[in-house]
Amino acid sequence: MSELSISAEFFPMNEHDLDAVAALEASLQTFPWSRGNFADSLSAGYSVWVLRLGGDLIGFSVVMSVIDEAHLLNIGVCRRYQGQGYGARLLRHAMECARLGGARMLFLEVRPSNDKAVELYRHFGFRQIGQRKGYYPAIVGREDGLIFEKELA
């Protein structure tokens, strides 16, 4: 069966996914979230999802909601599947879950050096509203974080 004939599906993240999600995150980021960060997100009741293609975990998202606002804390797609629309599907799903949970606005931070992510967020109508100086650790020093928002309602 080819990958194209296999449908990608969303599932709520659970404890059995933690090792695979942490490994995927470590393969994507120089300064990754730990398994504990994902476990804490589960325990806190955040909207945490995995995207599976067949049985393979290929992506994840973590959204924290507070009253009528949500914050996309983390999102990632396996490098092998990047550029094929899975990131867009994850982002669309995260936005819809936040909206259904009552959020009117979705916020996020992104590294200015992450061109693909910045382009994706802009494509979905996110607009930059600020910048956090030295927000992210970097190989040398720190990197700023661009703050984006999108109205969901």
Side-chain angles (χ1 to χ4, degrees):
M1 183 180 285
S2 75
E3 287 174 17
L4 295 175
S5 64
I6 301 172
S7 158
E9 295 180 276
F10 291 99
F11 296 94
M13 188 185 299
N14 64 53
E15 289 185 16
H16 300 292
D17 297 318
L18 291 174
D19 289 335
V21 170
L24 174 54
E25 167 78 350
S27 76
L28 298 171
Q29 303 295 335
T30 304
F31 299 93
W33 274 26
S34 68
R35 182 186 191 282
N37 293 129
F38 289 105
D40 290 346
S41 295
L42 272 176
S43 296
Y46 295 167
S47 178
V48 288
W49 292 86
V50 295
L51 180 61
R52 292 186 176 281
L53 187 62
D56 298 332
L57 188 144
I58 65 165
F60 63 85
S61 66
V62 179
V63 175
M64 173 185 70
S65 292
V66 179
I67 306 172
D68 64 348
E69 295 180 353
H71 197 112
L72 179 64
L73 299 177
N74 203 338
I75 189 168
V77 174
C78 179
R79 289 191 196 283
R80 175 179 173 200
Y81 296 101
Q82 290 179 4
Q84 300 176 41
Y86 294 110
R89 286 189 63 188
L90 267 168
L91 181 58
R92 201 175 294 115
H93 184 263
M95 291 188 307
E96 183 64 7
C97 288
R99 188 187 67 74
L100 290 173
R104 293 178 34 221
M105 298 294 291
L106 181 62
F107 297 91
L108 62 88
E109 288 86 16
V110 62
R111 292 175 184 267
S113 62
N114 191 344
D115 297 331
K116 287 181 185 177
V118 170
E119 182 180 325
L120 177 68
Y121 299 138
R122 288 189 195 281
H123 173 78
F124 273 86
F126 282 82
R127 66 183 187 94
Q128 186 179 340
I129 58 167
Q131 187 168 330
R132 297 187 197 279
K133 295 287 183 192
Y135 186 73
Y136 291 106
I139 303 250
V140 176
R142 310 232 3 129
E143 184 174 1
D144 293 346
L146 304 179
I147 306 167
F148 281 82
E149 73 170 1
K150 177 169 176 57
E151 189 171 331
L152 300 175

